[in-house]
Amino acid sequence: MAEQKKDKKPIRILGISAFYHDSAAALVVDGRIAAAAQEERFTRKKHDHNFPINAVHYCLKEEGIDASQLDYVVFYEKPLVRFERILETYIAYAPRGFKQFLMSIPLWLKQKLHLPREMDRALNFQYKGRYLFCEHHESHAASAFFPSPFEEAVILTMDGVGEWATASIGAGRGNQIEMLYELRFPHSLGLLYSAFTYFTGFRVNSGEYKLMGLAPYGRPIYYDKIMSEMLDLKEDGSFRLNLDYFAYCYSDVMVSPKFEEMFGGPRRKPETQITQREMDIAASIQKVTEEIMLRMSRYAHRQTGMKNLVLAGGVALNCVGNGRILREGPFEHIWIQPAAGDAGGALGAALFVWHQLLENPRKPVPQDMQNGSLLGPAFTTEEIKAYLDSQGAVYEVYEKESDLLEVVSDALIDQKVVGWFQGRMEFGPRALGSRSILGDARNEQMQSKMNLKIKFRESFRPFAPSVLAERASEYFGLGDGCSSPYMLLVAPVREEKRIAAEKTDGLFGLDLLKVRRSCVPGITHVDYSARIQTVDAERHGRYYRLLKRFEEKTGCPLVINTSFNVRGEPIVCTPENAYRCFMATNMDMLVMENVVLRKERQPQAKSYEVDEYLAKFALD
C-alpha cells in the first residue's frame, strides 16, 4: 500500500483566463496551488488581454514539467455562450451596433472561437488531453471559496459580464459549490461603475480604483438622482438599469447623450484637470455601489443563513465596499480572492476541476490556501548579482538578514524611499511586500513625494499601509482579530490616532490634501480611511521582520506600501524590471533579496531618463 502511494502520479491542472483583460495562468497540483501569474508581468503591457503564453510557460517551469505532463487544461469561461450573448445583443440593437459588430467579429472568428487551437499552440502541441470550460462566474465563485479558510460559506461574485451573468450568489460546502442566483446582462454593477469610470476620464477596466480613490474628495450630491433615474434597485440587491443612459450594448463608448445631460456636459477628457464635478460624481456612484453590495450580501445571508462570506469578481476589488460589508453586514467573517478580477478566474477554474469535477476532498486551513498570494517567480541572490554585474551596478550584499533589516529600517527612518523585491511575485493587482515600494507613513510629505516623483501619478491618489497584524486594531477600525492580508479592506483610522487641531472647514477637492489628519499622514486618506494590509510572520516572513525592526526603532508598526512600478507599468517581475524602474525614478534604495543598491552610488545613475522610461507605458 505504501509503495502504491509513493508511485501515485500527481494530478496537474492548468487554468487559463484570456482575451478580455488581465489574462493569466494558474497551475494546481494535487489540489495545491503551485503557481499563478498574470501575463502582463511578462509582456510589460498592463492588463494584457492576449493569450497568456508567458504565464503558462512560467507555471510549467515552476513545477519543472512540460505540457505533456498536464492532466487537465481548463478555460475560465464558455466562449460559445459568450458569443451567443454578443450576437443576441447585436441583433436586439441592430442596426445601431453594426460598427461595433464589425470591429469585434474578426477577432472572434480568427481566435476566440478556436480556443483549442490557440491552447494547442501555447502548449507546443504536447498536451493530448481534453480541454474543459467552466462558466465565468463559476470560476470566480471557485476562486473565492476553494482557497478560503471556511468549511462553508456563501459566495458573492460581481463583475462586468461573463457569458450572461454579471453577478451571482452561491453556496460553498466542503469540496462543492452550488450556484443559486444570478443577475444577467445588461444589468451589471461592474458595467455601471465602469460607465462612471469612463465618464470621469479614466480608462475602463483599469481606472476603476482611481474613481474609488477620488470619491472621498467629493460629495454624493448625485446619489438620489442615480438611484431614482438610472436604476431600479430592489431590496435583494438586484436591479435593472435604465438603458437610456448607457451605450455599451451597441457602441464602443459607455454612456449615452442622456447620461451627459444628467451631469451637465460631456465626459472629462483623459489627462485634463479633475474638477469638483468629477469628485462629486465619484462620491455618488461609490455610495450607490456600496448600497448595492450591502443589499446583495444581506440577501445572500438571508437566503443561506451562513456566517461566512467569500467574494470575487472585479467589483470585489472595491475595498471600500468590502470594508462596509465587513463592518455593517451580517457576516462574522469574510474572505476575498486576492486576484478577484479575471486573472483569478484561471485559478478558480483549475480548483473547480480538482474539487468539483474530480471530487477530491478539501481541508480548509485557518489562514487560507492562497499562500499569501505569493505564487509568481522568485530569483536568487546569485541570479540578481549576475544581472547587476552585467549592468555595472554598485551594490552591497548582506549575508545576515539582521544586518540587512538594520540597513533598510534605518533608510526608511531617514525618509528614504525603498524598492523592496523579495521572494515570489504576488498574484493579483496588489503588491503585498514582495514587489513593493516602501516609505515612512509618519512623514506628511511622503504621499506627495511618492506620487509625483516616484510613481509619476495623480496627486490625489492615496497610499496604503502595511501594518503589523497584531497592532492593526490599535490604528484602524478593522475589528479585533480581523485581518486584511491582501489589502482588500478599507477601514477608518481610529479617533485616537487622528489629529483634531487641523480644520477642514471651507476646503474642497484637492485642497483637502493639505491637511494633516493623523499621526500617520502618509496613509490617511482625506476621509480618514486607509486601505489596509495586515502583515503576519507566517505569510510574510522577511517583510514582517522588517516592519518589526522598524517598529522597534520608532514605535510605529506600519509603513507605506505601494506597488513597485510607475504609472501605466505592470508591477515589476524580474530583477531587470526592478533595476530599470529604480534607475528611472527618484527611488533612493533598491533591496533585492540580500542585495542593496543606493542611488547615489550608481555610476550610471543618469543613463535611464525618466521621460524615456515613462513613455514605454501607456497611461492608465
Side-chain angles (χ1 to χ4, degrees), residues 466-607:
S466 286
V467 58
L468 292 172
E470 63 268 27
R471 292 191 62 188
S473 61
E474 185 185 324
Y475 279 75
F476 306 103
L478 195 58
D480 289 338
C482 180
S483 64
S484 176
Y486 303 117
M487 206 185 276
L488 287 169
L489 292 169
V490 164
V493 174
R494 284 203 176 278
E495 291 282 349
E496 52 270 35
K497 300 297 180 186
R498 298 181 185 182
I499 293 174
E502 299 275 8
K503 296 290 185 184
T504 60
D505 297 348
L507 291 181
F508 291 100
L510 299 184
D511 286 340
L512 291 166
L513 274 174
K514 299 172 184 173
V515 178
R516 182 184 172 94
R517 290 185 160 70
S518 78
C519 63
V520 280
I523 55 84
T524 306
H525 206 0
V526 295
D527 60 351
Y528 294 96
S529 69
R531 179 161 51 88
I532 300 158
Q533 181 199 8
T534 54
V535 177
D536 59 77
E538 189 169 338
R539 283 191 185 90
H540 303 103
R542 178 175 280 184
Y543 188 44
Y544 174 85
R545 294 188 288 276
L546 173 64
L547 264 63
K548 198 70 186 167
R549 191 71 191 106
F550 183 78
E551 180 208 30
E552 289 165 357
K553 292 180 176 180
T554 65
C556 179
L558 61 90
V559 298
I560 294 173
N561 172 12
T562 186
S563 53
F564 199 148
N565 59 354
V566 296
R567 184 182 174 190
E569 180 186 20
I571 294 174
V572 301
C573 176
T574 65
E576 179 180 353
N577 302 152
Y579 178 69
R580 288 177 181 274
C581 186
F582 168 67
M583 294 297 284
T585 66
N586 294 302
M587 230 179 293
D588 301 297
M589 176 181 280
L590 173 59
V591 185
M592 294 196 283
E593 297 298 341
N594 297 340
V595 179
V596 174
L597 292 86
R598 301 171 197 267
K599 180 62 67 60
E600 69 274 13
R601 296 184 189 173
Q602 302 310 310
Q604 299 173 347
K606 293 183 180 178
S607 62

Side-chain angles (χ1 to χ4, degrees), residues 189 192-193 196 220-243 245-246 259 262-263 280-296 298 324:
L189 181 53
L192 174 67
Y193 206 82
F196 281 84
I221 59 175
Y222 300 109
Y223 173 81
D224 291 338
K225 219 170 186 177
I226 295 170
M227 291 291 271
S228 62
E229 296 184 30
M230 277 193 179
L231 71 159
D232 176 17
L233 177 62
K234 306 298 185 188
E235 194 53 40
D236 62 4
S238 66
F239 59 87
R240 293 184 67 81
L241 292 174
N242 182 345
L243 296 173
Y245 288 93
F246 303 95
F259 191 108
M262 175 180 275
F263 297 106
D280 292 340
I281 290 172
S284 303
I285 189 59
Q286 179 61 31
K287 186 177 176 182
V288 170
T289 300
E290 291 167 23
E291 180 62 27
I292 295 172
M293 292 174 74
L294 277 167
R295 289 194 192 190
M296 283 186 177
R298 286 171 180 149
R324 285 197 63 192

